[in-house]
Amino acid sequence: MAEGRSAPLEIGQGIVIPAEDLSESFVRASGPGGQNVNKVATAVQLRFQLHANRTLPEDVKQRLARLAGSRLTLAGEILIQADRFRTQERNRQDALERLAALVRKALERPKPRKATRPTRGSKERRLASKKQRSAVKRLRSSADD
């Protein structure tokens, strides 16, 4: 299992993840690869040290942790496994792109929900459908109930 450091990852909007926060290891992949699959470690495990990162704002880190879900380890790392392709380099690029996409999604601030009240028409429609349903049930019941 080969270990390595990758180059800094540019996300956009002036955000760069430093190379110290990223580490990658190469393992044998399952799936296509012919005779090579048992000899060459082409799958990539990319680890991003989320809690140690100093370039992302705290609110983005929280959203990123929520988005990562089960990919977030107990040690506070986001682990991305890439083994779609037959070559190590393409899997490496795939893992970095997937991490960048995840961080970009976390950079988007959710729109705050504005509390609204139901309209008069929607209240009337709801009550009318309840009356109709009540009438159907009343007609279905036997007369001696």
Side-chain angles (χ1 to χ4, degrees), residues 27-92:
V27 294
R28 288 189 182 148
S30 62
Q35 294 174 339
N36 238 9
V37 77
N38 295 323
K39 295 186 276 184
V40 182
T42 55
V44 177
Q45 288 183 339
L46 179 67
R47 292 178 185 274
F48 170 49
Q49 307 287 334
L50 180 62
H51 295 309
N53 181 273
R54 295 172 194 245
T55 57
L56 295 175
E58 201 56 42
D59 62 327
V60 174
K61 283 185 186 181
Q62 290 173 358
R63 283 195 297 270
L64 189 54
R66 204 172 324 113
L67 284 170
S70 63
R71 291 174 287 200
L72 185 66
T73 65
L74 293 175
E77 300 175 327
I78 294 178
L79 175 66
I80 295 179
Q81 171 102 12
D83 59 1
R84 275 196 287 185
F85 302 104
R86 290 182 180 211
T87 65
Q88 199 177 73
E89 189 53 40
R90 293 228 5 231
N91 282 328
R92 198 169 162 270

Side-chain angles (χ1 to χ4, degrees), residues 7-8 14 23-24 27 31 41-42 48 55 57 89 93 104 106 133 139 141:
S23 66
E24 42 189 40
V27 294
T42 55
F48 170 49
T55 57
E89 189 53 40
Q93 278 305 117
R104 274 189 219 104
R133 189 79 187 133
L139 289 171
S141 67

Side-chain angles (χ1 to χ4, degrees), residues 85-142:
F85 302 104
R86 290 182 180 211
T87 65
Q88 199 177 73
E89 189 53 40
R90 293 228 5 231
N91 282 328
R92 198 169 162 270
Q93 278 305 117
D94 183 41
L96 290 169
E97 286 167 9
R98 285 171 36 201
L99 177 63
L102 200 63
V103 174
R104 274 189 219 104
K105 193 168 184 180
L107 285 169
E108 296 172 12
R109 292 176 189 241
K111 281 195 264 183
R113 184 188 181 282
K114 293 179 185 172
T116 58
R117 295 171 63 183
T119 62
R120 183 175 163 197
S122 70
K123 286 181 189 174
E124 289 172 359
R125 285 189 299 274
R126 183 179 63 86
L127 293 174
S129 72
K130 283 171 70 96
K131 278 184 187 173
Q132 184 180 9
R133 189 79 187 133
S134 171
V136 166
K137 289 188 173 204
R138 191 172 53 250
L139 289 171
R140 282 186 188 156
S141 67
S142 59

